[in-house]
PDB file of all heavy atoms in Angstrom:
ATOM      1  N   CYS A  31     -17.920  -9.353  10.227  1.00 47.00           N
ATOM      2  CA  CYS A  31     -16.838 -10.080   9.570  1.00 47.00           C
ATOM      3  C   CYS A  31     -15.619 -10.162  10.475  1.00 47.00           C
ATOM      4  O   CYS A  31     -14.992 -11.224  10.617  1.00 47.00           O
ATOM      5  CB  CYS A  31     -16.481  -9.410   8.249  1.00 47.00           C
ATOM      6  SG  CYS A  31     -15.120 -10.210   7.371  1.00 47.00           S
ATOM      7  N   LEU A  32     -15.269  -9.034  11.110  1.00 47.00           N
ATOM      8  CA  LEU A  32     -14.116  -9.029  11.999  1.00 47.00           C
ATOM      9  C   LEU A  32     -14.354  -9.901  13.223  1.00 47.00           C
ATOM     10  O   LEU A  32     -13.456 -10.620  13.674  1.00 47.00           O
ATOM     11  CB  LEU A  32     -13.804  -7.599  12.439  1.00 47.00           C
ATOM     12  CG  LEU A  32     -12.951  -6.773  11.486  1.00 47.00           C
ATOM     13  CD1 LEU A  32     -12.948  -5.315  11.936  1.00 47.00           C
ATOM     14  CD2 LEU A  32     -11.540  -7.308  11.405  1.00 47.00           C
ATOM     15  N   VAL A  34     -16.341 -12.567  13.444  1.00 42.00           N
ATOM     16  CA  VAL A  34     -16.253 -13.963  13.023  1.00 42.00           C
ATOM     17  C   VAL A  34     -14.812 -14.358  12.754  1.00 42.00           C
ATOM     18  O   VAL A  34     -14.352 -15.446  13.098  1.00 42.00           O
ATOM     19  CB  VAL A  34     -17.119 -14.202  11.764  1.00 42.00           C
ATOM     20  CG1 VAL A  34     -16.861 -15.580  11.192  1.00 42.00           C
ATOM     21  CG2 VAL A  34     -18.596 -14.048  12.106  1.00 42.00           C
ATOM     22  N   THR A  35     -14.053 -13.446  12.122  1.00 43.00           N
ATOM     23  CA  THR A  35     -12.654 -13.737  11.807  1.00 43.00           C
ATOM     24  C   THR A  35     -11.815 -13.896  13.062  1.00 43.00           C
ATOM     25  O   THR A  35     -10.914 -14.732  13.120  1.00 43.00           O
ATOM     26  CB  THR A  35     -12.060 -12.602  10.955  1.00 43.00           C
ATOM     27  OG1 THR A  35     -12.825 -12.491   9.758  1.00 43.00           O
ATOM     28  CG2 THR A  35     -10.608 -12.872  10.587  1.00 43.00           C
ATOM     29  N   THR A  36     -12.092 -13.094  14.083  1.00 42.00           N
ATOM     30  CA  THR A  36     -11.215 -13.055  15.243  1.00 42.00           C
ATOM     31  C   THR A  36     -11.663 -13.941  16.384  1.00 42.00           C
ATOM     32  O   THR A  36     -10.871 -14.231  17.284  1.00 42.00           O
ATOM     33  CB  THR A  36     -11.099 -11.618  15.780  1.00 42.00           C
ATOM     34  OG1 THR A  36     -12.395 -11.121  16.091  1.00 42.00           O
ATOM     35  CG2 THR A  36     -10.464 -10.721  14.742  1.00 42.00           C
ATOM     36  N   TRP A  37     -12.915 -14.416  16.407  1.00 40.00           N
ATOM     37  CA  TRP A  37     -13.375 -15.206  17.544  1.00 40.00           C
ATOM     38  C   TRP A  37     -12.934 -16.650  17.383  1.00 40.00           C
ATOM     39  O   TRP A  37     -13.173 -17.293  16.373  1.00 40.00           O
ATOM     40  CB  TRP A  37     -14.895 -15.148  17.678  1.00 40.00           C
ATOM     41  CG  TRP A  37     -15.359 -15.826  18.948  1.00 40.00           C
ATOM     42  CD1 TRP A  37     -15.338 -15.311  20.203  1.00 40.00           C
ATOM     43  CD2 TRP A  37     -15.896 -17.155  19.068  1.00 40.00           C
ATOM     44  NE1 TRP A  37     -15.824 -16.225  21.104  1.00 40.00           N
ATOM     45  CE2 TRP A  37     -16.169 -17.360  20.436  1.00 40.00           C
ATOM     46  CE3 TRP A  37     -16.150 -18.180  18.156  1.00 40.00           C
ATOM     47  CZ2 TRP A  37     -16.708 -18.547  20.916  1.00 40.00           C
ATOM     48  CZ3 TRP A  37     -16.676 -19.368  18.637  1.00 40.00           C
ATOM     49  CH2 TRP A  37     -16.958 -19.549  19.998  1.00 40.00           C
ATOM     50  N   ARG A  38     -12.299 -17.210  18.389  1.00 38.00           N
ATOM     51  CA  ARG A  38     -11.870 -18.598  18.354  1.00 38.00           C
ATOM     52  C   ARG A  38     -12.254 -19.319  19.643  1.00 38.00           C
ATOM     53  O   ARG A  38     -11.605 -20.264  20.048  1.00 38.00           O
ATOM     54  CB  ARG A  38     -10.347 -18.673  18.170  1.00 38.00           C
ATOM     55  CG  ARG A  38      -9.862 -18.199  16.810  1.00 38.00           C
ATOM     56  CD  ARG A  38     -10.325 -19.133  15.711  1.00 38.00           C
ATOM     57  NE  ARG A  38      -9.785 -18.752  14.426  1.00 38.00           N
ATOM     58  CZ  ARG A  38     -10.336 -17.853  13.613  1.00 38.00           C
ATOM     59  NH1 ARG A  38     -11.453 -17.251  13.983  1.00 38.00           N
ATOM     60  NH2 ARG A  38      -9.785 -17.568  12.455  1.00 38.00           N
ATOM     61  N   ALA A  56      -4.547 -12.373  19.859  1.00 56.00           N
ATOM     62  CA  ALA A  56      -5.413 -11.491  19.082  1.00 56.00           C
ATOM     63  C   ALA A  56      -4.822 -11.221  17.707  1.00 56.00           C
ATOM     64  O   ALA A  56      -5.527 -11.237  16.697  1.00 56.00           O
ATOM     65  CB  ALA A  56      -5.644 -10.180  19.834  1.00 56.00           C
ATOM     66  N   ALA A  57      -3.512 -10.968  17.651  1.00 59.00           N
ATOM     67  CA  ALA A  57      -2.863 -10.715  16.361  1.00 59.00           C
ATOM     68  C   ALA A  57      -2.920 -11.956  15.478  1.00 59.00           C
ATOM     69  O   ALA A  57      -3.147 -11.863  14.268  1.00 59.00           O
ATOM     70  CB  ALA A  57      -1.414 -10.286  16.578  1.00 59.00           C
ATOM     71  N   ARG A  58      -2.732 -13.132  16.092  1.00 64.00           N
ATOM     72  CA  ARG A  58      -2.737 -14.367  15.304  1.00 64.00           C
ATOM     73  C   ARG A  58      -4.096 -14.607  14.650  1.00 64.00           C
ATOM     74  O   ARG A  58      -4.174 -15.031  13.496  1.00 64.00           O
ATOM     75  CB  ARG A  58      -2.348 -15.538  16.196  1.00 64.00           C
ATOM     76  CG  ARG A  58      -2.186 -16.856  15.456  1.00 64.00           C
ATOM     77  CD  ARG A  58      -1.464 -17.884  16.317  1.00 64.00           C
ATOM     78  NE  ARG A  58      -2.097 -18.066  17.619  1.00 64.00           N
ATOM     79  CZ  ARG A  58      -1.577 -17.666  18.775  1.00 64.00           C
ATOM     80  NH1 ARG A  58      -0.404 -17.051  18.780  1.00 64.00           N
ATOM     81  NH2 ARG A  58      -2.198 -17.871  19.917  1.00 64.00           N
ATOM     82  N   THR A  59      -5.169 -14.321  15.374  1.00 60.00           N
ATOM     83  CA  THR A  59      -6.494 -14.502  14.783  1.00 60.00           C
ATOM     84  C   THR A  59      -6.764 -13.492  13.679  1.00 60.00           C
ATOM     85  O   THR A  59      -7.650 -13.687  12.852  1.00 60.00           O
ATOM     86  CB  THR A  59      -7.596 -14.390  15.854  1.00 60.00           C
ATOM     87  OG1 THR A  59      -7.514 -13.111  16.477  1.00 60.00           O
ATOM     88  CG2 THR A  59      -7.442 -15.478  16.899  1.00 60.00           C
ATOM     89  N   LEU A  60      -5.992 -12.392  13.659  1.00 64.00           N
ATOM     90  CA  LEU A  60      -6.101 -11.404  12.587  1.00 64.00           C
ATOM     91  C   LEU A  60      -5.146 -11.701  11.434  1.00 64.00           C
ATOM     92  O   LEU A  60      -4.980 -10.883  10.535  1.00 64.00           O
ATOM     93  CB  LEU A  60      -5.832 -10.002  13.133  1.00 64.00           C
ATOM     94  CG  LEU A  60      -6.918  -9.414  14.025  1.00 64.00           C
ATOM     95  CD1 LEU A  60      -6.428  -8.154  14.704  1.00 64.00           C
ATOM     96  CD2 LEU A  60      -8.187  -9.133  13.235  1.00 64.00           C
ATOM     97  N   GLY A  61      -4.490 -12.858  11.484  1.00 68.00           N
ATOM     98  CA  GLY A  61      -3.629 -13.254  10.377  1.00 68.00           C
ATOM     99  C   GLY A  61      -2.210 -12.761  10.487  1.00 68.00           C
ATOM    100  O   GLY A  61      -1.490 -12.719   9.489  1.00 68.00           O
ATOM    101  N   VAL A  62      -1.764 -12.382  11.689  1.00 79.00           N
ATOM    102  CA  VAL A  62      -0.408 -11.888  11.901  1.00 79.00           C
ATOM    103  C   VAL A  62       0.230 -12.678  13.043  1.00 79.00           C
ATOM    104  O   VAL A  62      -0.354 -12.785  14.115  1.00 79.00           O
ATOM    105  CB  VAL A  62      -0.385 -10.384  12.246  1.00 79.00           C
ATOM    106  CG1 VAL A  62       1.046  -9.880  12.393  1.00 79.00           C
ATOM    107  CG2 VAL A  62      -1.119  -9.580  11.182  1.00 79.00           C
ATOM    108  N   THR A  63       1.411 -13.244  12.801  1.00 82.00           N
ATOM    109  CA  THR A  63       2.148 -13.928  13.858  1.00 82.00           C
ATOM    110  C   THR A  63       3.506 -13.263  14.024  1.00 82.00           C
ATOM    111  O   THR A  63       4.035 -12.651  13.107  1.00 82.00           O
ATOM    112  CB  THR A  63       2.345 -15.418  13.536  1.00 82.00           C
ATOM    113  OG1 THR A  63       3.122 -15.546  12.340  1.00 82.00           O
ATOM    114  CG2 THR A  63       1.001 -16.115  13.347  1.00 82.00           C
ATOM    115  N   HIS A  71       4.747 -12.126  10.484  1.00 88.00           N
ATOM    116  CA  HIS A  71       4.374 -12.929   9.324  1.00 88.00           C
ATOM    117  C   HIS A  71       2.893 -12.687   9.025  1.00 88.00           C
ATOM    118  O   HIS A  71       2.050 -12.851   9.908  1.00 88.00           O
ATOM    119  CB  HIS A  71       4.625 -14.409   9.575  1.00 88.00           C
ATOM    120  CG  HIS A  71       6.060 -14.758   9.821  1.00 88.00           C
ATOM    121  ND1 HIS A  71       6.939 -15.053   8.799  1.00 88.00           N
ATOM    122  CD2 HIS A  71       6.777 -14.829  10.982  1.00 88.00           C
ATOM    123  CE1 HIS A  71       8.134 -15.304   9.308  1.00 88.00           C
ATOM    124  NE2 HIS A  71       8.069 -15.166  10.630  1.00 88.00           N
ATOM    125  N   PHE A  72       2.587 -12.284   7.784  1.00 89.00           N
ATOM    126  CA  PHE A  72       1.209 -12.050   7.361  1.00 89.00           C
ATOM    127  C   PHE A  72       0.736 -13.316   6.640  1.00 89.00           C
ATOM    128  O   PHE A  72       1.226 -13.648   5.560  1.00 89.00           O
ATOM    129  CB  PHE A  72       1.136 -10.816   6.458  1.00 89.00           C
ATOM    130  CG  PHE A  72       1.670  -9.577   7.131  1.00 89.00           C
ATOM    131  CD1 PHE A  72       2.977  -9.164   6.925  1.00 89.00           C
ATOM    132  CD2 PHE A  72       0.880  -8.852   8.000  1.00 89.00           C
ATOM    133  CE1 PHE A  72       3.486  -8.048   7.557  1.00 89.00           C
ATOM    134  CE2 PHE A  72       1.370  -7.724   8.645  1.00 89.00           C
ATOM    135  CZ  PHE A  72       2.684  -7.318   8.424  1.00 89.00           C
ATOM    136  N   THR A  73      -0.203 -14.003   7.252  1.00 83.00           N
ATOM    137  CA  THR A  73      -0.511 -15.369   6.844  1.00 83.00           C
ATOM    138  C   THR A  73      -1.657 -15.488   5.843  1.00 83.00           C
ATOM    139  O   THR A  73      -1.981 -16.594   5.425  1.00 83.00           O
ATOM    140  CB  THR A  73      -0.846 -16.219   8.083  1.00 83.00           C
ATOM    141  OG1 THR A  73      -2.004 -15.657   8.749  1.00 83.00           O
ATOM    142  CG2 THR A  73       0.323 -16.233   9.063  1.00 83.00           C
ATOM    143  N   ARG A  74      -2.262 -14.381   5.465  1.00 82.00           N
ATOM    144  CA  ARG A  74      -3.397 -14.444   4.536  1.00 82.00           C
ATOM    145  C   ARG A  74      -3.180 -13.514   3.340  1.00 82.00           C
ATOM    146  O   ARG A  74      -3.991 -12.611   3.088  1.00 82.00           O
ATOM    147  CB  ARG A  74      -4.697 -14.068   5.250  1.00 82.00           C
ATOM    148  CG  ARG A  74      -5.050 -14.984   6.410  1.00 82.00           C
ATOM    149  CD  ARG A  74      -6.201 -14.431   7.210  1.00 82.00           C
ATOM    150  NE  ARG A  74      -6.417 -15.227   8.408  1.00 82.00           N
ATOM    151  CZ  ARG A  74      -7.073 -14.793   9.486  1.00 82.00           C
ATOM    152  NH1 ARG A  74      -7.559 -13.547   9.501  1.00 82.00           N
ATOM    153  NH2 ARG A  74      -7.241 -15.573  10.538  1.00 82.00           N
ATOM    154  N   PRO A  75      -2.100 -13.665   2.596  1.00 86.00           N
ATOM    155  CA  PRO A  75      -1.845 -12.740   1.484  1.00 86.00           C
ATOM    156  C   PRO A  75      -2.829 -12.929   0.338  1.00 86.00           C
ATOM    157  O   PRO A  75      -3.303 -14.043   0.071  1.00 86.00           O
ATOM    158  CB  PRO A  75      -0.417 -13.111   1.043  1.00 86.00           C
ATOM    159  CG  PRO A  75      -0.281 -14.544   1.424  1.00 86.00           C
ATOM    160  CD  PRO A  75      -1.050 -14.692   2.707  1.00 86.00           C
ATOM    161  N   ARG A  76      -3.131 -11.843  -0.343  1.00 86.00           N
ATOM    162  CA  ARG A  76      -3.970 -11.921  -1.539  1.00 86.00           C
ATOM    163  C   ARG A  76      -3.279 -12.699  -2.652  1.00 86.00           C
ATOM    164  O   ARG A  76      -3.922 -13.258  -3.534  1.00 86.00           O
ATOM    165  CB  ARG A  76      -4.283 -10.512  -2.045  1.00 86.00           C
ATOM    166  CG  ARG A  76      -5.242  -9.729  -1.174  1.00 86.00           C
ATOM    167  CD  ARG A  76      -5.422  -8.337  -1.727  1.00 86.00           C
ATOM    168  NE  ARG A  76      -6.397  -7.567  -0.984  1.00 86.00           N
ATOM    169  CZ  ARG A  76      -6.622  -6.280  -1.191  1.00 86.00           C
ATOM    170  NH1 ARG A  76      -5.929  -5.627  -2.111  1.00 86.00           N
ATOM    171  NH2 ARG A  76      -7.540  -5.636  -0.488  1.00 86.00           N
ATOM    172  N   ALA A  77      -1.949 -12.705  -2.612  1.00 88.00           N
ATOM    173  CA  ALA A  77      -1.192 -13.385  -3.662  1.00 88.00           C
ATOM    174  C   ALA A  77      -1.597 -14.837  -3.804  1.00 88.00           C
ATOM    175  O   ALA A  77      -1.490 -15.408  -4.900  1.00 88.00           O
ATOM    176  CB  ALA A  77       0.307 -13.282  -3.355  1.00 88.00           C
ATOM    177  N   ASP A  78      -2.070 -15.440  -2.711  1.00 87.00           N
ATOM    178  CA  ASP A  78      -2.480 -16.847  -2.777  1.00 87.00           C
ATOM    179  C   ASP A  78      -3.651 -17.067  -3.722  1.00 87.00           C
ATOM    180  O   ASP A  78      -3.878 -18.193  -4.180  1.00 87.00           O
ATOM    181  CB  ASP A  78      -2.861 -17.345  -1.377  1.00 87.00           C
ATOM    182  CG  ASP A  78      -1.653 -17.501  -0.463  1.00 87.00           C
ATOM    183  OD1 ASP A  78      -0.522 -17.471  -0.980  1.00 87.00           O
ATOM    184  OD2 ASP A  78      -1.852 -17.639   0.759  1.00 87.00           O
ATOM    185  N   ARG A  79      -4.401 -15.994  -4.012  1.00 87.00           N
ATOM    186  CA  ARG A  79      -5.595 -16.136  -4.849  1.00 87.00           C
ATOM    187  C   ARG A  79      -5.410 -15.533  -6.239  1.00 87.00           C
ATOM    188  O   ARG A  79      -6.380 -15.423  -6.991  1.00 87.00           O
ATOM    189  CB  ARG A  79      -6.796 -15.473  -4.162  1.00 87.00           C
ATOM    190  CG  ARG A  79      -7.092 -16.047  -2.784  1.00 87.00           C
ATOM    191  CD  ARG A  79      -8.403 -15.517  -2.223  1.00 87.00           C
ATOM    192  NE  ARG A  79      -8.404 -14.068  -2.080  1.00 87.00           N
ATOM    193  CZ  ARG A  79      -7.891 -13.432  -1.033  1.00 87.00           C
ATOM    194  NH1 ARG A  79      -7.303 -14.102  -0.068  1.00 87.00           N
ATOM    195  NH2 ARG A  79      -7.949 -12.114  -0.957  1.00 87.00           N
ATOM    196  N   TYR A 116       3.643  -8.475  -9.773  1.00 91.00           N
ATOM    197  CA  TYR A 116       2.908  -8.261  -8.519  1.00 91.00           C
ATOM    198  C   TYR A 116       3.826  -8.630  -7.365  1.00 91.00           C
ATOM    199  O   TYR A 116       4.563  -9.617  -7.440  1.00 91.00           O
ATOM    200  CB  TYR A 116       1.654  -9.129  -8.475  1.00 91.00           C
ATOM    201  CG  TYR A 116       0.832  -8.986  -7.207  1.00 91.00           C
ATOM    202  CD1 TYR A 116      -0.132  -7.995  -7.099  1.00 91.00           C
ATOM    203  CD2 TYR A 116       1.024  -9.843  -6.127  1.00 91.00           C
ATOM    204  CE1 TYR A 116      -0.888  -7.858  -5.941  1.00 91.00           C
ATOM    205  CE2 TYR A 116       0.277  -9.714  -4.963  1.00 91.00           C
ATOM    206  CZ  TYR A 116      -0.675  -8.718  -4.873  1.00 91.00           C
ATOM    207  OH  TYR A 116      -1.429  -8.579  -3.724  1.00 91.00           O
ATOM    208  N   GLU A 118       3.768  -8.723  -2.890  1.00 92.00           N
ATOM    209  CA  GLU A 118       2.992  -8.518  -1.665  1.00 92.00           C
ATOM    210  C   GLU A 118       3.843  -8.900  -0.458  1.00 92.00           C
ATOM    211  O   GLU A 118       4.502  -9.947  -0.439  1.00 92.00           O
ATOM    212  CB  GLU A 118       1.717  -9.348  -1.683  1.00 92.00           C
ATOM    213  CG  GLU A 118       0.839  -9.111  -0.461  1.00 92.00           C
ATOM    214  CD  GLU A 118      -0.531  -9.753  -0.572  1.00 92.00           C
ATOM    215  OE1 GLU A 118      -0.815 -10.365  -1.619  1.00 92.00           O
ATOM    216  OE2 GLU A 118      -1.325  -9.641   0.378  1.00 92.00           O
ATOM    217  N   GLU A 119       3.798  -8.041   0.548  1.00 92.00           N
ATOM    218  CA  GLU A 119       4.553  -8.273   1.770  1.00 92.00           C
ATOM    219  C   GLU A 119       3.988  -9.472   2.524  1.00 92.00           C
ATOM    220  O   GLU A 119       2.781  -9.545   2.785  1.00 92.00           O
ATOM    221  CB  GLU A 119       4.482  -7.018   2.645  1.00 92.00           C
ATOM    222  CG  GLU A 119       5.232  -7.096   3.944  1.00 92.00           C
ATOM    223  CD  GLU A 119       4.965  -5.887   4.824  1.00 92.00           C
ATOM    224  OE1 GLU A 119       4.108  -5.054   4.481  1.00 92.00           O
ATOM    225  OE2 GLU A 119       5.628  -5.791   5.875  1.00 92.00           O
ATOM    226  N   VAL A 120       4.854 -10.395   2.908  1.00 92.00           N
ATOM    227  CA  VAL A 120       4.430 -11.550   3.703  1.00 92.00           C
ATOM    228  C   VAL A 120       5.189 -11.630   5.021  1.00 92.00           C
ATOM    229  O   VAL A 120       4.803 -12.411   5.904  1.00 92.00           O
ATOM    230  CB  VAL A 120       4.574 -12.872   2.920  1.00 92.00           C
ATOM    231  CG1 VAL A 120       3.597 -12.928   1.763  1.00 92.00           C
ATOM    232  CG2 VAL A 120       6.009 -13.083   2.434  1.00 92.00           C
ATOM    233  N   ILE A 186      -3.099  -2.798   3.092  1.00 92.00           N
ATOM    234  CA  ILE A 186      -4.194  -3.760   3.221  1.00 92.00           C
ATOM    235  C   ILE A 186      -4.377  -4.122   4.691  1.00 92.00           C
ATOM    236  O   ILE A 186      -3.392  -4.370   5.404  1.00 92.00           O
ATOM    237  CB  ILE A 186      -3.891  -5.036   2.408  1.00 92.00           C
ATOM    238  CG1 ILE A 186      -3.616  -4.679   0.952  1.00 92.00           C
ATOM    239  CG2 ILE A 186      -5.042  -6.024   2.503  1.00 92.00           C
ATOM    240  CD1 ILE A 186      -3.078  -5.835   0.136  1.00 92.00           C
ATOM    241  N   ASP A 187      -5.630  -4.179   5.164  1.00 87.00           N
ATOM    242  CA  ASP A 187      -5.898  -4.467   6.574  1.00 87.00           C
ATOM    243  C   ASP A 187      -6.012  -5.984   6.811  1.00 87.00           C
ATOM    244  O   ASP A 187      -5.908  -6.780   5.866  1.00 87.00           O
ATOM    245  CB  ASP A 187      -7.131  -3.694   7.047  1.00 87.00           C
ATOM    246  CG  ASP A 187      -8.446  -4.332   6.640  1.00 87.00           C
ATOM    247  OD1 ASP A 187      -8.433  -5.351   5.923  1.00 87.00           O
ATOM    248  OD2 ASP A 187      -9.504  -3.812   7.036  1.00 87.00           O
ATOM    249  N   PRO A 188      -6.225  -6.415   8.078  1.00 78.00           N
ATOM    250  CA  PRO A 188      -6.211  -7.853   8.376  1.00 78.00           C
ATOM    251  C   PRO A 188      -7.288  -8.677   7.681  1.00 78.00           C
ATOM    252  O   PRO A 188      -7.116  -9.894   7.539  1.00 78.00           O
ATOM    253  CB  PRO A 188      -6.407  -7.896   9.902  1.00 78.00           C
ATOM    254  CG  PRO A 188      -5.896  -6.592  10.386  1.00 78.00           C
ATOM    255  CD  PRO A 188      -6.261  -5.613   9.311  1.00 78.00           C
ATOM    256  N   VAL A 189      -8.408  -8.072   7.275  1.00 78.00           N
ATOM    257  CA  VAL A 189      -9.440  -8.842   6.572  1.00 78.00           C
ATOM    258  C   VAL A 189      -9.385  -8.577   5.069  1.00 78.00           C
ATOM    259  O   VAL A 189     -10.356  -8.740   4.354  1.00 78.00           O
ATOM    260  CB  VAL A 189     -10.858  -8.556   7.138  1.00 78.00           C
ATOM    261  CG1 VAL A 189     -10.973  -9.093   8.541  1.00 78.00           C
ATOM    262  CG2 VAL A 189     -11.180  -7.071   7.103  1.00 78.00           C
ATOM    263  N   ASN A 190      -8.197  -8.162   4.600  1.00 83.00           N
ATOM    264  CA  ASN A 190      -7.910  -7.984   3.175  1.00 83.00           C
ATOM    265  C   ASN A 190      -8.737  -6.891   2.509  1.00 83.00           C
ATOM    266  O   ASN A 190      -9.070  -6.978   1.324  1.00 83.00           O
ATOM    267  CB  ASN A 190      -8.065  -9.310   2.415  1.00 83.00           C
ATOM    268  CG  ASN A 190      -6.792 -10.133   2.426  1.00 83.00           C
ATOM    269  OD1 ASN A 190      -5.699  -9.575   2.482  1.00 83.00           O
ATOM    270  ND2 ASN A 190      -6.915 -11.436   2.385  1.00 83.00           N
ATOM    271  N   HIS A 313      -0.334  -4.582   5.871  1.00 92.00           N
ATOM    272  CA  HIS A 313       0.817  -4.901   5.038  1.00 92.00           C
ATOM    273  C   HIS A 313       0.626  -4.285   3.659  1.00 92.00           C
ATOM    274  O   HIS A 313      -0.462  -3.818   3.302  1.00 92.00           O
ATOM    275  CB  HIS A 313       1.039  -6.412   4.937  1.00 92.00           C
ATOM    276  CG  HIS A 313      -0.012  -7.149   4.170  1.00 92.00           C
ATOM    277  ND1 HIS A 313      -1.266  -7.431   4.686  1.00 92.00           N
ATOM    278  CD2 HIS A 313       0.006  -7.696   2.923  1.00 92.00           C
ATOM    279  CE1 HIS A 313      -1.976  -8.095   3.792  1.00 92.00           C
ATOM    280  NE2 HIS A 313      -1.229  -8.271   2.709  1.00 92.00           N
TER     281      HIS A 313
END
Side-chain angles (χ1 to χ4, degrees):
C31 179
L32 276 170
V34 171
T35 301
T36 57
W37 187 79
R38 292 293 184 274
R58 186 166 54 250
T59 59
L60 288 169
V62 183
T63 62
H71 298 272
F72 302 96
T73 61
R74 299 170 187 160
R76 289 177 176 173
D78 289 347
R79 302 189 300 277
Y116 179 87
E118 183 171 359
E119 181 187 7
V120 293
I186 304 170
D187 80 356
V189 292
N190 273 330
H313 69 284

